[in-house]
Amino acid sequence: MRFEIICGVLIVILLILIWKIVVMRRAVKEIREGITQKLETETNTLLTIDSRDRQMRALADVINADLRRLRVQRQKYEQGNLTLKENITNISHDIRTPLTAICGYLELLEEEEKSEKALRYLAVVKERTETLKRLTEELFAYATAVPAEYAENGMEMTWLSCDGRRDKELDKEYEDVVLNEVLEESISAYYGALKTRGITPQITMSETKVIRRVNPAALSRIFANILGNAVKYSAGDLQICLSESGQITFSNHAPSLDEIQVGRLFDKFYTVENAVQSTGLGLAIARLLTEQMGGRITAQYAEEILTITVLFPEEARTHQ
């Protein structure tokens, strides 16, 4: 009789433990799914569970406290990001106005009679002014390249120009673009700069039209920034290849670089010491725009050859 009682008690305890485990597993599942939902969506709601277990509810309370802190930090970050963009927009006019005036006076000064020493000084001032203008423009371009609005369904992206107004070129809806044509136009636009450096590009382009649904203005900026990089670092050669897969490669000898420097080329504000008039933003902007349009951009360095690869895969046609 005593044995049967002990067995009965053990069975009851076992059933209670099984029930407890089931309840805890259900609560853990609720917490896991709830955390995933809160992190994936910008919601102000907190985690709720049906479990009556004190420990599980205490765990949920701790997680909710962390979610509240995370929400505050996210709001501070978003507000800080917005404030930064507003400040950059506001100071753009303050920077551009004196630069425009300086350029105007330099043009007037060129018309006056000058000594050889004055001519040298004037050339240096003009070169430094142009460098400052490029740095300013690229700084604003990078700061405002991130869309101000981005619909989750990928149907609309809004871009801001350097003066804070909507950039009508970048604000257009994505459209089917022939990569071959945009690449040809970009190379033609850089022909003068390439020729000045003694670079004659070797171009291999797919005879088939490679069509991707992208923003044409952003695509032109990507190609221009990469070609500008080639002008700075090339030892005198440049190979450009566009394949039917939507992959574009830019290769050139760059003995002045090394693997560590190439690994940082896409970092904003990173400049190689011997770079000519480099602002450190060109390739950072190129990467930002490429990734926003569903593409990928990489840089490799082997046997003193720098290769920058841009790929817009087939699925990029439906990215927007």
Side-chain angles (χ1 to χ4, degrees), residues 75-101:
Q75 291 172 349
K76 288 182 179 179
Y77 170 79
E78 292 176 350
Q79 183 61 40
N81 193 36
L82 179 61
T83 301
L84 175 62
K85 290 185 179 182
E86 289 176 349
N87 289 337
I88 291 176
T89 299
N90 291 335
I91 67 173
S92 64
H93 299 288
D94 296 332
I95 295 178
R96 287 181 174 185
T97 300
L99 275 178
T100 302

Side-chain angles (χ1 to χ4, degrees), residues 16 20 45 62-63 133 181 207 262 273 279 292:
I16 292 174
K20 190 74 171 178
T45 61
V62 171
I63 294 174
K133 286 177 62 178
E181 297 176 356
E207 296 182 359
V262 171
E273 291 183 0
T279 61
Q292 285 176 345

Side-chain angles (χ1 to χ4, degrees), residues 128-273:
R128 294 294 185 268
T129 303
E130 290 299 321
T131 300
L132 181 58
K133 286 177 62 178
R134 279 191 293 271
L135 175 60
T136 303
E137 292 297 328
E138 290 192 358
L139 175 62
F140 295 150
Y142 185 86
T144 58
V146 180
E149 301 170 6
Y150 183 67
E152 288 296 328
N153 59 9
M155 292 304 294
E156 180 181 358
M157 293 180 73
T158 303
W159 305 72
L160 298 180
S161 64
C162 294
D163 58 6
R165 295 192 297 269
R166 294 167 70 97
D167 190 319
K168 297 185 181 301
E169 288 300 315
L170 292 177
D171 195 32
K172 295 189 300 184
E173 289 188 0
Y174 282 23
E175 58 187 67
D176 287 338
V177 175
V178 181
L179 300 188
N180 315 52
E181 297 176 356
V182 178
L183 182 58
E184 288 176 356
E185 292 172 358
S186 299
I187 296 172
S188 298
Y190 260 81
Y191 178 77
L194 292 170
K195 186 176 181 180
T196 300
R197 291 294 309 279
I199 302 172
T200 302
Q202 303 297 317
I203 305 169
T204 304
M205 200 168 300
S206 169
E207 296 182 359
T208 303
K209 290 185 177 180
V210 182
I211 301 175
R212 294 293 184 269
R213 194 164 185 79
V214 296
N215 184 294
L219 183 63
S220 295
R221 182 179 294 177
I222 292 168
F223 290 156
N225 289 0
I226 296 175
L227 288 168
N229 184 77
V231 170
K232 289 195 290 281
Y233 299 119
S234 176
D237 64 321
L238 177 61
Q239 288 77 42
I240 303 173
C241 178
L242 168 63
S243 67
E244 294 184 12
S245 64
Q247 176 173 293
I248 310 101
T249 58
F250 301 80
S251 301
N252 59 268
H253 281 83
S256 61
L257 299 180
D258 57 43
E259 292 185 7
I260 296 177
Q261 292 171 329
V262 171
R264 298 192 60 191
L265 284 179
F266 295 113
D267 294 350
K268 56 181 179 291
F269 303 117
Y270 175 75
T271 60
V272 179
E273 291 183 0

